[in-house]
Amino acid sequence: EESMNTVLIQEVVRFNKLLQVMATTLHDMIKALKGLVVMSDTLETMANSIFNNQVPAVWNAKAYPSLKPLGSWVLDLLARVDFVQTWVAEGIPTSFWVSGFFFPQAFLTG
């Protein structure tokens, strides 16, 4: 049980980092689109990626490996976050979605 808690904590930290980067960059993009801040190269690249249904590179740098287009990637992210939230709220699940982990090797080791 202790090793599963370690895996859970590691997963929560990784998801929180990704979600924080997403929230910050989306907030910055909204400000840039309103003209409140200068549109940086990073934000412009991100906007182009979103327009082209691709996961922005700034998010991909903090995310789990995936080749999905943005729409499917977001749905997958929501499912992964829901899995982790359920684990936190209800305790160790009876079955695990191994491919839903950021780092499945840690789970398999634990």
Side-chain angles (χ1 to χ4, degrees):
E1 186 174 332
E2 189 174 316
S3 62
M4 288 295 106
N5 289 338
T6 302
V7 170
L8 177 60
I9 290 168
Q10 291 171 346
E11 291 294 309
V12 168
V13 167
R14 287 182 180 108
F15 277 113
N16 282 342
K17 285 180 183 177
L18 171 58
L19 294 172
Q20 181 61 46
V21 166
M22 291 175 69
T24 300
T25 54
L26 286 170
H27 182 71
D28 290 346
M29 184 185 298
I30 289 170
K31 284 192 209 171
L33 291 172
K34 288 181 178 179
L36 301 174
V37 297
V38 176
M39 177 78 78
S40 68
D41 287 340
T42 303
L43 289 177
E44 186 175 357
T45 302
M46 182 177 142
N48 288 333
S49 293
I50 291 171
F51 180 77
N52 293 322
N53 196 31
Q54 298 171 336
V55 179
V58 68
W59 296 356
N60 238 350
K62 296 288 184 185
Y64 45 88
S66 177
L67 298 174
K68 293 182 179 187
L70 181 61
S72 299
W73 184 86
V74 169
L75 293 175
D76 184 62
L77 174 63
L78 293 173
R80 290 169 184 252
V81 169
D82 183 60
F83 170 72
V84 171
Q85 285 178 328
T86 301
W87 187 355
V88 168
E90 299 176 10
I92 297 174
T94 54
S95 62
F96 290 91
W97 178 23
V98 177
S99 63
F101 288 111
F102 249 91
F103 189 59
Q105 294 88 336
F107 169 75
L108 296 173
T109 302

